[in-house]
Amino acid sequence: RIPVAFGEAGASSLPAFAVAAEGARWVRHSRASTKRELLLSPGAASSLHVCWGPPGSSTATAEVGTINFVAAPALSKAVVALVAPTALETVPAVVAFETAALDGANDAVTGSTALILRFTSDALEARLVDGSTPVGATRAEAAQTFCGMMFSEAWSSDTDGFPLPKRCRFRPSYTASGVTTSEAELEFEPGRGLRPTTRYQLVMNVKAAAPLAAGAVVAHLTATGDSWRQPNAALEASDAVLALPG
């Protein structure tokens, strides 16, 4: 798009354009964008159909293409370690992981980055430091004071320690197929987020829905890029498995 200004106020003359000898080429793109997270079933990440339909209608009228989803690079050594293997009670847990290259996390990204911890009610439910159930908050309601309400300790192998979050919140929970999902979000200042090849640990309270076996997937961790322009674009992500004492 090239804005063109011409003539003076009230002038009726139009601008003249000359086309280069090699000619000109027009390119038209169709682009859709959303700040919503797209959820899909395991194994259904390629050649998905994209269709158009009338606004407000659940009926598609035409297929316009296909879409492929590419998995983000993995965070390594992602675990949730319970201090006691107790079901239906609130207990402290250590959420631990290690970043890989985190390409662009602090250099190319100009906005805030984030760490998102996702829990589901059929495995582990997140709790606040005082043991209460978290209440979902919008991004505008997030605050740095919430970080101390959500996490009791934070550690990093980086010499500067765990990065100071800009603000924290629990995203509004949602329910699908009878399972409720809650997400804890830590937002970091531009250039001051997670570092490459670094180990991190967070201590928070959780409640197990039922007795769980070691090695079971109990959470999902995501390190995002620009959390404002692309709030669900993962730089690295991984499922976290359960580790039990002893």
Side-chain angles (χ1 to χ4, degrees):
R1 180 182 299 174
I2 304 176
V4 178
F6 59 92
E8 299 180 357
S12 60
S13 60
L14 298 176
F17 295 92
V19 179
E22 60 271 21
R25 182 169 63 95
W26 289 96
V27 178
R28 184 179 67 179
H29 294 279
S30 294
R31 179 180 178 184
S33 63
T34 177
K35 289 187 176 182
R36 294 184 177 273
E37 186 174 18
L38 302 178
L39 302 178
L40 61 153
S41 302
S46 62
S47 299
L48 301 179
H49 300 283
V50 179
C51 302
W52 291 147
S57 172
S58 59
T59 302
T61 58
E63 180 178 334
V64 295
T66 59
I67 185 171
N68 296 324
F69 289 87
V70 179
L75 294 165
S76 63
K77 303 175 184 176
V79 299
V80 177
L82 299 184
V83 299
T86 305
L88 303 178
E89 292 186 17
T90 298
V91 296
V94 179
V95 180
F97 62 93
E98 184 173 339
T99 56
L102 274 182
D103 289 338
N106 295 295
D107 298 324
V109 175
T110 57
S112 300
T113 58
L115 172 65
I116 301 170
L117 317 178
R118 176 182 299 160
F119 300 92
T120 55
S121 59
D122 61 344
L124 291 180
E125 296 179 342
R127 291 291 185 266
L128 298 179
V129 171
D130 63 5
S132 62
T133 301
V135 176
T138 65
R139 174 166 285 167
E141 295 170 332
Q144 193 177 68
T145 54
F146 290 161
C147 302
M149 300 169 63
M150 297 164 58
F151 305 99
S152 55
E153 294 183 52
W155 174 87
S156 169
S157 62
D158 188 78
T159 54
D160 292 329
F162 196 95
L164 179 66
K166 177 181 180 180
R167 52 188 156 205
C168 298
R169 65 165 175 152
F170 271 96
R171 293 179 171 185
S173 60
Y174 57 89
T175 301
S177 301
V179 177
T180 299
T181 298
S182 62
E183 297 174 330
E185 179 184 83
L186 298 84
E187 183 182 337
F188 304 104
E189 295 280 4
R192 299 180 182 178
L194 304 179
R195 297 291 179 183
T197 59
T198 304
R199 290 177 290 134
Y200 294 95
Q201 294 181 3
L202 287 163
V203 179
M204 63 184 301
N205 285 339
V206 297
K207 178 182 177 181
L212 298 169
V217 174
V218 292
H220 186 80
L221 314 181
T222 303
T224 77
D226 192 320
S227 61
W228 283 87
R229 293 180 176 87
Q230 295 178 306
N232 294 301
L235 291 178
E236 292 180 7
S238 180
D239 288 332
V241 299
L242 183 67
L244 297 175

